[in-house]
Amino acid sequence: MENHIFLLILLFLVQYYSVSGSASSSNETDQQALLVFKDLVTSPSHFLANNWTKNTSFCSWFGVTCSPKRQRVVPLAFPDMQLQGTISSSLLQGSIPTSLFQHRRVQVISLAFNKLGGEMWKGPWFVPELRVLNLRNNSLTGIIPPSIGNATKLMNFSLAGNRISGNLPKEIRNIVSNLEVLSISYNQISDHIPSNICQLTELKILSISFNNIIGDIPRNIGCLSKLEEFYIGHNPIKGTIPASLGNISTLQNLYCALNYLEGPIPPELAKLSNLWEINFFQNKLIGQIPEAIFNISSLKNIGFNLNNLSGRIPTTTGLHLPNLVYLVLGGNQLEGEIPLFITNASKLEILDLAGNFLTGTIPTNLGNLHELQRLLLHSNQLTNEPREHELRFLNSLV
């Protein structure tokens, strides 16, 4: 459990707007909710059990802050308490109350990984201080309301893992100057990548995979100079890979699997010296894999399988890939021999070269890949070493 419990802000807002009656009955509701929370968590010092008692007002309890006028709980904070336990599911199911989107002081709404359903509030938003809206992995439906543009200080906007449909509202351009995280993967959103993409000057994570996003990747995508993670896979995106991607020196994850991208791999991608993952699995790419990509020493995952790539695997493969874990090039039209230097990638766990036109012998030094878990070489034209009746490297792998 996090040291600072922001989720319970919702709990008390729900209680406030769902309970009718006098202020005293509302206060009793807050007290009961706090006591339920106390019963479900523990700490090494048992501090809450000893401090939260009915002998004193709950507004004086440790970690509790009440609004001065109504004496209602606003936030809870438990720094360095080492709390353990759960928040009861009965406190965080149902729909999100509309009042939460009209709270002038709320800065963080983090309700991820719950069972919240219904639509997001369609009415006017009034959350001028909101920095984080994290509603991922719930069951929310409907569209992203245009009034989200009123949250002009929003930095983290995450709706991944819901059932949101429709388009990204044009009004979202009001918050682009601050936005660092835009995460809407695993929804049903139908749209293009925003045309005003260059206005997202602070963006670090753009995650729109597993939707119905159409169109091309903007040619000027390289203007996102602070981007670290770019996930667009599993969308019907077409066109070619923009060469300007190579200008984003901060890029670490480039995931464009299961799109309809075509044309060659731009050699400019080899300039991404901080790249951890480059994955273009199952597209329509042609031409050769730029040799310089195999010189990006930070790479852990290279995935170009199931395309129409041709040419040879660079003979220096592995020389400059000390961190490589996955090398997946199967299902292309690659030819030539398996490079002997591939075994210099000592951390390699998966090597998939199946379904190509590779020739020559299977290198015996593959047995030096002591971390190897999966080796796929079938459907090629490979042979074993002359005068050898078995593949000796298999003994080393065993």
Side-chain angles (χ1 to χ4, degrees):
M1 180 174 296
E2 297 180 0
N3 287 337
H4 294 80
I5 309 297
F6 295 107
L7 298 185
L8 293 178
I9 293 175
L10 174 62
L11 165 62
F12 297 110
L13 287 172
V14 171
Q15 300 292 349
Y16 178 77
Y17 284 93
S18 62
V19 176
S20 60
S22 64
S24 61
S25 65
S26 297
N27 290 344
E28 290 175 1
T29 303
D30 280 7
Q31 185 185 61
Q32 292 170 3
L34 288 172
L35 292 174
V36 170
F37 172 74
K38 182 190 72 170
D39 292 339
L40 291 171
V41 298
T42 60
S43 65
S45 64
H46 304 288
F47 187 82
L48 295 186
N50 298 326
N51 181 267
W52 286 16
T53 66
K54 294 182 179 181
N55 297 329
T56 58
S57 168
F58 64 83
C59 288
S60 66
W61 292 352
F62 175 82
V64 178
T65 301
C66 290
S67 58
K69 293 183 179 180
R70 302 186 181 221
Q71 292 294 290
R72 301 302 310 278
V73 177
V74 185
L76 298 178
F78 306 113
D80 301 319
M81 288 286 292
Q82 299 180 4
L83 297 181
Q84 296 181 352
T86 61
I87 297 176
S88 172
S89 60
S90 64
L91 305 181
L92 277 171
Q93 295 189 48
S95 59
I96 302 175
T98 59
S99 59
L100 194 59
F101 300 111
Q102 295 180 323
H103 196 292
R104 66 166 56 242
R105 295 185 180 179
V106 66
Q107 296 185 18
V108 177
I109 300 175
S110 181
L111 301 168
F113 296 93
N114 282 290
K115 299 179 182 179
L116 300 172
E119 298 187 72
M120 295 176 63
W121 170 233
K122 293 182 179 179
W125 286 37
F126 187 65
V127 280
E129 299 299 320
L130 187 64
R131 265 74 167 178
V132 176
L133 178 61
N134 185 358
L135 304 177
R136 65 181 303 167
N137 289 80
N138 281 285
S139 299
L140 299 173
T141 60
I143 63 172
I144 301 174
S147 56
I148 193 177
N150 295 332
T152 54
K153 294 184 179 180
L154 198 61
M155 299 170 61
N156 184 327
F157 178 47
S158 180
L159 293 178
N162 283 283
R163 290 180 285 173
I164 304 295
S165 57
N167 296 332
L168 285 172
K170 295 180 180 179
E171 289 79 3
I172 204 170
R173 64 178 179 267
N174 296 332
I175 62 175
V176 294
S177 60
N178 297 311
L179 204 61
E180 295 182 1
V181 177
L182 176 59
S183 177
I184 57 171
S185 294
Y186 293 93
N187 279 287
Q188 301 163 16
I189 295 173
S190 303
D191 205 351
H192 295 74
I193 297 178
S195 59
N196 62 341
I197 194 73
C198 283
Q199 296 182 34
L200 300 172
T201 55
E202 300 298 315
L203 197 65
K204 295 180 180 179
I205 298 176
L206 177 60
S207 179
I208 60 175
S209 297
F210 293 90
N211 278 288
N212 296 311
I213 306 295
I214 59 174
D216 297 354
I217 304 174
R219 298 294 92 192
N220 61 344
I221 192 74
C223 61
L224 301 179
S225 61
K226 297 183 179 180
L227 196 66
E228 297 175 2
E229 301 178 28
F230 184 43
Y231 305 104
I232 66 167
H234 303 259
N235 283 294
I237 293 175
K238 298 182 179 180
T240 57
I241 303 171
S244 67
L245 272 173
N247 297 331
I248 310 177
S249 60
T250 54
L251 201 60
Q252 297 176 2
N253 292 84
L254 178 57
Y255 183 81
C256 306
L258 280 158
N259 299 124
Y260 294 95
L261 297 171
E262 55 190 14
I265 301 169
E268 289 82 359
L269 296 188
K271 297 188 297 181
L272 300 175
S273 59
N274 293 304
L275 205 61
W276 293 359
E277 174 185 29
I278 181 168
N279 196 328
F280 286 89
F281 157 66
Q282 197 167 336
N283 279 277
K284 299 180 179 181
L285 302 178
I286 61 173
Q288 299 186 22
I289 304 174
E291 181 172 350
I293 285 180
F294 292 92
N295 292 330
I296 304 176
S297 60
S298 57
L299 271 173
K300 296 181 179 180
N301 186 349
I302 298 177
F304 287 109
N305 48 321
L306 296 180
N307 281 280
N308 296 307
L309 297 170
S310 56
R312 292 174 173 264
I313 302 172
T315 55
T316 57
T317 300
L319 271 179
H320 305 288
L321 294 170
N323 298 301
L324 192 65
V325 178
Y326 305 121
L327 178 59
V328 185
L329 306 177
N332 283 287
Q333 301 172 24
L334 300 174
E335 57 187 16
E337 297 184 343
I338 299 175
L340 295 176
F341 295 112
I342 207 166
T343 57
N344 290 334
S346 59
K347 295 183 180 179
L348 200 63
E349 294 180 7
I350 295 179
L351 176 60
D352 178 4
L353 303 177
N356 283 287
F357 300 123
L358 299 176
T359 56
T361 59
I362 300 177
T364 57
N365 61 354
L366 287 180
N368 297 332
L369 296 174
H370 298 299
E371 303 297 324
L372 199 64
Q373 298 177 16
R374 185 177 302 174
L375 175 64
L376 302 177
L377 301 176
H378 61 272
S379 302
N380 281 286
Q381 301 169 22
L382 299 168
T383 61
N384 59 332
E385 291 283 355
R387 297 187 301 274
E388 291 287 344
H389 299 290
E390 60 181 15
L391 297 173
R392 285 193 301 163
F393 72 89
L394 292 176
N395 293 328
S396 299
L397 291 177
V398 172

